[in-house]
Amino acid sequence: LAMRFAFLVVVLNAGSSLLAQLAVREVLIPRANAFPHDPAVTSDGTAWYTDQVNSTIGRLDPTTEQIVDYPTPTPNSGPHGITVSPDDYVWYTAQDTGRLGRVHPQTGAITEYVLPANANRPHTPIAHRGAGLSGGSQSLQHLAVVVIHDLRR
């Protein structure tokens, strides 16, 4: 079963209405059981998304519609939320293994950070314009917040 990934393209042309500038295109994800989740876009327009079922981070070039998969270093990590920090690094939560991952936007190299045990099931990371990244953690008993202060390392 193949999944389609729909994305919105906005081209700003002087003199036309916003509605006339919108276009939705679908791209077939060439992977069995794909489950794309939470897209995020870098400053160059590249779309990134998590694939929870296959434990990959997907990169979609909106011009060529080419998809590149980057497997997470931890198998069966269940990547969930994704965001882009001001320096264009892509950050995701590995919900099933309690990790936070950082993807280099040009090379696709991934570094994962193990979260404290009480920050299990991280959900949605949020990049701030300042020098930090935060995210919530789902749990039946508590809400954990993870903060990384220096995104440049």
Side-chain angles (χ1 to χ4, degrees):
L1 175 66
M3 185 81 140
R4 293 191 179 275
F5 185 71
F7 62 98
L8 182 66
V9 178
V10 177
V11 180
L12 301 175
N13 294 317
S16 64
S17 73
L18 180 61
L19 187 57
Q21 298 172 42
L22 301 179
V24 176
R25 299 192 319 243
E26 283 186 337
V27 176
L28 182 65
I29 296 177
R31 182 178 346 98
N33 302 315
F35 191 79
H37 204 278
D38 286 0
V41 179
T42 51
S43 64
D44 66 357
T46 300
W48 294 81
Y49 60 92
T50 58
D51 179 344
Q52 288 183 289
V53 172
N54 293 294
S55 290
T56 60
I57 306 302
R59 178 187 187 278
L60 168 65
D61 182 317
T63 304
T64 65
E65 298 185 359
Q66 179 184 9
I67 290 177
V68 177
D69 289 331
Y70 299 100
T72 60
T74 305
N76 303 312
S77 63
H80 186 273
I82 193 165
T83 193
V84 176
S85 58
D87 60 3
D88 262 358
Y89 275 84
V90 178
W91 292 82
Y92 67 90
T93 56
Q95 194 172 41
D96 293 343
T97 58
R99 296 169 191 265
L100 183 65
R102 183 179 81 161
V103 184
H104 189 286
Q106 281 80 42
T107 67
I110 297 175
T111 304
E112 286 187 336
Y113 304 92
V114 177
L115 300 176
N118 62 351
N120 64 344
R121 308 251 337 132
H123 195 269
T124 305
I126 301 167
H128 299 279
R129 286 281 173 216
L133 180 80
S134 65
S137 172
Q138 298 189 129
S139 174
L140 296 176
Q141 299 173 344
H142 68 278
L143 174 68
V145 177
V146 177
V147 179
I148 296 177
H149 291 286
D150 186 356
L151 296 177
R152 294 168 291 194
R153 291 186 186 178

